[in-house]
Amino acid sequence: MPKNSQIRYGGALHWTVSHKDGMGSMLRSRMRAAMAALTFLTVLWSGVATGDTPMPLRLGLVKFGTVAWEIDTIKRQGFDTAAGLDLRVVDLANPEAGKIALQAGAVDMIVSDWIWVSRQRGEDERIAFIPFSASVGAVMVPADSAASSLADLKGKRIGVAGGPLDKSWLLVRALAMKEHGFDPARDSRPVFAAAPLLNQQMQAGQLDAVLNYWPFAARLDALGFRRLLDVNGIAARLGVGAEMPAIGYVFREDWGRRNAEAVGAFFRATLRAKEVLRTTDAAWEPLRPLMRAEDEATFAALRAGYRAGIPSRWGAAEKEAADRLFAVVAELGGAELVGRGGRLADGTFWPGVSIPDGP
C-alpha cells in the first residue's frame, strides 16, 4: 500500500484512501470488497453472539416441593444449559407467594393448576399453562378399615387437605353423588386442615379416611395405610374422558409471547428430566435432601408417586377432557372457585407444546 494511504476506524466502519499513482482504482476496488466481507462477518459474529447468550427464565419455586426434584435434575444434568437457558430459581415461602410474585413480575414462571389459570384469564389476567404432573392425591384409609368404596364413608370423619373448594374434594364429591347417591360434604363429616396435620390425625386414629395431596398420601403408603381411591382416576369414572395433568408451569401470556423460544426450550428440558427420573433410580440419590424421606419405604413411595404422575400424553384429547372436567368442578365450586365465566377460558393452555406420544 502507498505510504501516504490511510485507513481510519471510527464508531462506524470508515475507510479513507489517498493515493498518487495509477493503483488507486484497483486499491479502492479491493477495499470495497474487503469492507463488504468484513461487514458480512460482523453481522455473522453478531448473530452467533446473540444465539450463544442464554435465555433468562426466573422460576419461582417452593424449595421442598415436588417440582424442586425435577428442577434440581434439570440443573444437575445440564439440561438447562443444553437448551440455551439461564434458569434461575427464586425461593418462595408457599404457593400463594408464587402467585403474587408472578402477578407482580418478580418471577417469570411458577407452578399452579389450570383451574386457577382459567379463573385469572376470566379476570383479564392473561396467564397460560404447560403441564407438569398428573399426580393429585388419594383417599387413604387404615389398613384394617372395612371401607371398600366411597359408599362406606357416608357418615364418617374424612380429613380434607386444601379446604372446601379443593379440586380433589370437589371431584370426590361428584363421584360419590354419581355412583353412590350421597354428597360427602353434607352426609359425611369432613375435617379441613393442613396436609401434615391430617396425616398426624390419621396416624392417631382420629379420622376414618383422609383425602390428601399425593406426597402425603405416599407417606401414608409407606406406613401401611391403604388407598381407597386415587383422584387421578376420577375423571374417567365421571365420563369426562382422558386423564390430564392437573398441575403445570404457568406464566404470563405477554411474557410467553416475547419468550416463546425459552418456553419451548424449558418444556423440552422438563421432559428430559422426567425421562431420567422415570428410568434411572440412581438419579434419585442426589434428591434425598429435597425429598426429606424419613426412611427407605417413604423414599420409594415418593419416587413411585412422582413417576406415576408423569404425563404420558398432552394434546387435543386431554385439553378437551379438561374442558369437560372444568364444568364438573364449576358446578360444585361455583364462582368462588372458577370465577365469573363459568367455563374454561380460551387460551388457558399454551399452544405449541405437547408430550411426544400425544396427538
Side-chain angles (χ1 to χ4, degrees):
M1 183 178 296
K3 62 181 179 181
N4 63 337
S5 294
Q6 192 177 53
I7 300 177
R8 187 170 69 248
Y9 304 92
L13 185 62
H14 182 73
W15 300 60
T16 301
V17 178
S18 60
H19 56 88
K20 291 184 178 179
D21 56 33
M23 296 293 293
S25 177
M26 185 184 343
L27 184 58
R28 283 195 300 273
S29 177
R30 289 177 178 175
M31 283 186 169
R32 281 196 296 269
M35 190 170 86
L38 184 57
T39 301
F40 170 78
L41 289 174
T42 301
V43 172
L44 178 63
W45 291 334
S46 174
V48 170
T50 301
D52 285 347
T53 302
M55 299 173 285
L57 194 160
R58 300 168 300 164
L59 176 64
L61 206 61
V62 177
K63 184 173 183 179
F64 292 104
T66 58
V67 187
W69 311 347
E70 185 165 291
I71 300 304
D72 186 86
T73 302
I74 287 173
K75 298 186 78 65
R76 193 177 298 277
Q77 298 283 341
F79 295 153
D80 52 340
T81 303
L85 290 171
D86 176 14
L87 179 58
R88 308 169 194 173
V89 174
V90 179
D91 291 334
L92 301 173
N94 53 55
E96 290 305 311
K99 294 174 181 178
I100 295 170
L102 180 68
Q103 292 169 320
V107 297
D108 303 316
M109 192 177 285
I110 61 170
V111 174
S112 190
D113 62 81
W114 47 264
I115 293 177
W116 179 77
V117 171
S118 177
R119 175 172 185 150
Q120 294 306 115
R121 294 186 71 86
E123 297 175 357
D124 294 325
E125 290 284 345
R126 299 297 182 180
I127 312 293
F129 172 103
I130 59 176
F132 161 61
S133 176
S135 283
V136 185
V139 177
M140 307 293 295
V141 296
D144 59 357
S145 171
S148 61
S149 74
L150 284 179
D152 299 314
L153 298 185
K154 187 174 182 179
K156 303 295 186 181
R157 287 173 57 84
I158 307 173
V160 181
L165 292 179
D166 178 76
K167 277 71 73 178
S168 295
W169 173 237
L170 297 178
L171 291 176
V172 168
R173 289 178 57 198
L175 186 65
M177 287 187 280
K178 178 179 184 290
E179 294 188 347
H180 306 294
F182 80 99
D183 183 353
R186 292 193 304 267
D187 303 318
S188 297
R189 292 180 288 163
V191 177
F192 301 102
L197 178 59
L198 289 174
N199 269 18
Q200 293 173 13
Q201 291 180 340
M202 193 67 179
Q203 293 173 63
Q206 298 171 357
L207 298 170
D208 298 298
V210 62
L211 169 62
N212 218 334
Y213 306 130
W214 80 258
F216 294 92
R219 284 182 155 82
L220 291 177
D221 280 329
L223 293 172
F225 287 79
R226 177 165 58 86
R227 288 181 178 240
L228 186 70
L229 175 68
D230 275 306
V231 176
N232 298 34
I234 292 180
R237 290 169 64 174
L238 290 175
V240 302
E243 177 183 308
M244 75 290 298
I247 306 298
Y249 297 99
V250 307
F251 48 91
R252 298 187 66 88
E253 185 179 277
D254 54 357
W255 176 87
R257 294 193 183 284
R258 293 194 306 271
N259 298 275
E261 186 178 352
V263 173
F266 175 74
F267 186 64
R268 290 189 295 274
T270 68
L271 295 183
R272 292 185 70 184
K274 283 179 169 69
E275 184 61 15
V276 168
L277 293 173
R278 185 182 69 83
T279 60
T280 309
D281 286 353
W284 287 86
E285 291 303 316
L287 300 179
R288 285 181 181 270
L290 291 175
M291 296 168 71
R292 299 191 293 183
E294 294 84 356
D295 49 47
E296 284 302 311
T298 303
F299 175 80
L302 290 170
R303 182 177 62 197
Y306 171 89
R307 286 173 168 173
I310 295 175
S312 58
R313 296 175 63 86
W314 178 246
E318 288 67 39
K319 294 172 185 177
E320 290 168 6
D323 197 13
R324 294 189 292 272
L325 193 63
F326 185 91
V328 173
V329 297
E331 183 177 354
L332 291 173
E336 190 176 355
L337 173 65
V338 301
R340 299 187 304 268
R343 59 178 296 276
L344 187 66
D346 292 338
T348 293
F349 303 121
W350 185 252
V353 300
S354 63
I355 306 297
D357 291 338

